């Protein structure tokens, strides 16, 4: 899943965002459920946004490349008053990309203002806004001949995308965050994210092979309206007892996500048979890109037995984490309780306890020895497609053990 400033967003995007307002990208390896709730076992990505600065600065960047690629983006920041306690930052960009994969194109823009209010050293308020839109097509990769695993069996530019196919996606993000220092060693942080996604997809794709160098085509038209709200609150303590340093975090978070899904699977029943899900044919050897009669496609008859279309979930979590530092040693221990509730055709609830343990020893200024264990939790949650189950769905629990040596010589 993708996070913005540690807050969860809708995770069924098919585009590559522009990221004009992103300061850095953090890759968090392995289960990270203790601090961020339900997450994939492999890890997650956290995007950290740019913040307003107290000094005036501005830049504009223009890039042009092969296949008529164009990208223009600007960044301006500074104070909005003489006291310099009200700050702004404006990031905006536009891109027009094409590719050696000839049917591919992508046009996108993003506007992302940010404002900070810092009345004193103890309090900071920040408002991040972003609206982005992308008009493109879905690139499912280079298809090859049946039972031929050579990458050279077809040209690298080959796509099954047909004229009229499109993916249009708009994302609107609003983040309000607060940081308040309660004392010398205690601080409180709170953040709220509202993330809205509008996705309109129409695409042809390869269904199955007719011959070794030709395929049947399917057609999908899908509209998604998704709203995700995420609230995160935590207290941070920095303490010291003797020679032992304590960094303690305890918090509560709440996530609610709802998806309104309209999905159409087309077919030409009079030509390929009812229930075939086929709308045409396509030659991989001699590709021809022609306008398809999408207005004549009829809905495919599907077996909907045991189908569950999840359209909303909420999850709440409470957690505590302590990191101890003693001379060359560091120890970390944490525990999270997650309470998940999903609704759709059926209602389901899942609860999980997720511990994390770790130890680090600094063998030298450049070399660290470490060992860690963490448990993850990934429940059945909102999906952008119809899902068919032969048995009751089950959450995914993951356990990661890791030990090794980290060295920094540069």
């Amino acid at each position: 899943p993708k996070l913005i400033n540690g807050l969860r967003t809708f995770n069924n995007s098919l585009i590559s965002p522009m990221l004009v307002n992103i300061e850095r990208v953090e890759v968090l390896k392995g289960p990270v459920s203790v601090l961020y709730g339900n997450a994939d076992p492999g890890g997650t990505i956290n995007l950290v946004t740019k913040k307003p600065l107290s000094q005036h600065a501005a830049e504009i960047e223009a890039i042009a490349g092969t296949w008529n690629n164009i990208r223009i983006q600007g960044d301006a920041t500074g104070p909005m008053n003489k006291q310099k306690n009200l700050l702004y930052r404006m990031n905006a960009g536009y891109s027009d990309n094409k590719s050696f994969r000839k049917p591919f194109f992508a046009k996108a823009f993003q506007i992302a203002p940010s404002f900070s209010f810092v009345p004193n050293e103890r309090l900071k308020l920040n408002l991040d806004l972003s609206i982005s839109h992308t008009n493109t097509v879905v690139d499912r990769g280079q298809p090859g001949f049946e039972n031929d695993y050579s990458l050279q069996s077809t040209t690298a530019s080959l796509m099954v995308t047909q004229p009229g196919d499109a993916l249009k996606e708009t994302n609107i993000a609003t983040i309000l965050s607060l940081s308040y220092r309660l004392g010398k060693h205690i601080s409180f942080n709170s953040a709220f994210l509202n993330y809205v996604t509008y996705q309109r997809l129409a695409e042809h794709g390869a269904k199955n092979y007719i011959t070794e160098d030709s395929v049947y085509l399917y057609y999908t038209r899908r509209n998604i309206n998704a709203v995700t709200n995420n609230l995160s609150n935590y207290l941070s303590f920095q303490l010291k007892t003797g020679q032992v340093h304590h960094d303690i975090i305890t918090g509560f978070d709440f996530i609610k996500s709802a998806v309104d899904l309209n999905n159409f699977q087309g077919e030409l029943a009079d030509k390929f048979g009812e229930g075939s899900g086929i709308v045409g044919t396509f030659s991989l050897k001699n590709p021809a890109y022609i306008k398809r009669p999408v207005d004549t496609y009829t809905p495919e008859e599907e077996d909907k037995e045991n189908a569950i279309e999840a359209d909303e979930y909420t999850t709440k979590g409470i957690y505590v984490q302590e990191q101890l530092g003693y001379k060359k040693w560091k120890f970390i221990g944490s525990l999270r309780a997650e309470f998940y509730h999903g609704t759709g055709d059926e209602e389901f609830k899942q609860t999980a306890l997720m511990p994390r343990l770790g130890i680090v020893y600094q063998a030298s200024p450049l070399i660290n020895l470490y060992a860690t264990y963490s448990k993850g939790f990934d429940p059945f949650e909102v999906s952008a497609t119809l899902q068919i189950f032969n048995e009751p769905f089950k959450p995914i629990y993951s356990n990661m053990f890791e030990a090794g040596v980290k060295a920094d010589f540069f």
Side-chain angles (χ1 to χ4, degrees):
K2 182 181 71 176
L3 308 175
I4 301 179
N5 295 341
L7 300 169
R8 187 166 184 145
T9 67
F10 178 66
N11 295 310
N12 216 293
S13 178
L14 297 173
I15 64 169
S16 297
M18 290 194 66
L19 305 181
V20 298
N21 65 329
I22 299 304
E23 182 73 32
R24 67 182 184 272
V25 178
E26 299 175 341
V27 179
L28 309 177
K29 184 177 65 172
V32 292
S33 297
V34 169
L35 294 180
Y36 299 110
N38 53 298
D40 293 332
T44 191
I45 294 175
N46 183 39
L47 306 179
V48 181
T49 59
K50 298 176 182 178
K51 297 297 186 290
L53 305 177
S54 59
Q55 301 296 324
H56 286 289
E59 69 174 7
I60 187 168
E61 185 179 64
I63 301 173
T66 52
W67 301 294
N68 298 318
N69 286 340
I70 297 173
R71 182 185 178 97
I72 301 173
Q73 63 184 55
D75 184 356
T77 186
M80 299 178 66
N81 58 5
K82 292 182 179 180
Q83 294 79 17
K84 294 187 177 182
N85 58 13
L86 185 60
L87 314 174
Y88 83 95
R89 190 159 188 170
M90 171 63 76
N91 288 275
Y94 171 80
S95 66
D96 186 351
N97 299 326
K98 298 180 179 63
S99 171
F100 67 93
R101 296 173 63 73
K102 296 179 181 179
F104 180 83
F105 72 93
K107 295 183 179 181
F109 74 83
Q110 183 180 9
I111 302 172
S114 178
F115 305 93
S116 292
F117 178 55
V118 190
N120 52 58
E121 295 182 352
R122 301 177 66 181
L123 176 64
K124 182 176 182 180
L125 293 169
N126 201 86
L127 175 64
D128 290 300
L129 304 171
S130 173
I131 178 169
S132 62
H133 177 77
T134 300
N135 181 17
T136 183
V137 293
V138 177
D139 188 349
R140 299 293 185 182
Q142 173 191 349
F145 293 162
E146 186 177 22
N147 298 323
D148 187 342
Y149 303 104
S150 170
L151 294 177
Q152 299 178 345
S153 63
T154 58
T155 63
S157 62
L158 181 64
M159 293 178 64
V160 182
T161 301
Q162 300 296 297
D165 288 1
L167 170 62
K168 298 180 180 180
E169 182 170 314
T170 300
N171 293 293
I172 304 171
T174 304
I175 303 176
L176 180 62
S177 58
L178 175 150
S179 177
Y180 184 69
R181 183 165 290 278
L182 298 169
K184 186 177 180 180
H185 304 291
I186 305 174
S187 62
F188 171 73
N189 292 270
S190 180
F192 172 77
L193 165 68
N194 173 261
Y195 196 87
V196 180
T197 296
Y198 303 102
Q199 187 184 100
R200 304 292 181 263
L201 170 68
E203 71 162 337
H204 291 81
K207 186 174 179 67
N208 45 47
Y209 286 92
I210 308 170
T211 64
E212 66 176 13
D213 59 6
S214 61
V215 295
Y216 287 117
L217 294 178
Y218 69 81
Y219 177 77
T220 297
R221 184 171 64 240
R222 184 171 70 223
N223 295 334
I224 295 177
N225 299 324
V227 179
T228 300
N229 292 301
N230 190 333
L231 176 65
S232 175
N233 300 284
Y234 66 91
L235 285 166
S236 177
F237 304 84
Q238 289 82 40
L239 308 172
K240 186 177 181 181
T241 55
Q243 296 184 0
V244 180
H245 295 268
H246 304 264
D247 290 309
I248 304 171
I249 296 176
T250 181
F252 165 83
D253 53 48
F254 171 83
I255 303 171
K256 181 177 181 179
S257 185
V259 174
D260 180 16
L261 169 66
N262 186 319
N263 196 69
F264 172 83
Q265 298 288 134
E267 66 179 12
L268 287 175
D270 57 345
K271 187 173 182 179
F272 297 101
E274 187 172 330
S276 65
I278 300 171
V279 297
T281 61
F282 185 77
S283 173
L284 304 178
K285 189 174 183 179
N286 300 296
Y289 296 94
I290 60 175
K291 183 69 175 178
R292 301 283 174 169
V294 295
D295 293 338
T296 65
Y297 295 168
T298 57
E300 176 187 357
E301 291 296 327
E302 291 183 321
D303 178 14
K304 297 184 179 180
E305 184 179 358
N306 298 323
I308 298 175
E309 185 177 348
D311 54 22
E312 182 176 302
Y313 80 85
T314 60
T315 183
K316 290 169 274 194
I318 54 175
Y319 59 89
V320 60
Q321 174 176 287
E322 179 171 7
Q323 179 175 298
L324 302 177
Y326 176 72
K327 295 183 178 180
K328 294 184 178 182
W329 294 89
K330 287 186 178 180
F331 306 88
I332 188 170
S334 55
L335 181 66
R336 179 185 178 93
E338 182 91 2
F339 307 92
Y340 183 91
H341 181 202
T343 60
D345 290 345
E346 293 185 5
E347 182 178 12
F348 48 96
K349 297 180 180 180
Q350 296 164 351
T351 302
L353 287 175
M354 292 162 286
R356 180 188 179 196
L357 298 171
I359 183 172
V360 177
Y361 176 72
Q362 186 179 23
S364 74
L366 301 177
I367 300 177
N368 291 288
L369 310 177
Y370 72 94
T372 182
Y373 162 76
S374 57
K375 183 176 182 179
F377 171 65
D378 190 12
F380 175 83
E381 61 184 66
V382 176
S383 172
T385 58
L386 191 67
Q387 303 185 54
I388 309 298
F389 297 90
N390 294 323
E391 60 181 353
F393 44 78
K394 298 177 181 178
I396 298 173
Y397 293 93
S398 57
N399 293 277
M400 186 186 78
F401 301 88
E402 184 177 357
V405 179
K406 288 185 178 180
D408 185 5
F409 298 109
F410 302 98

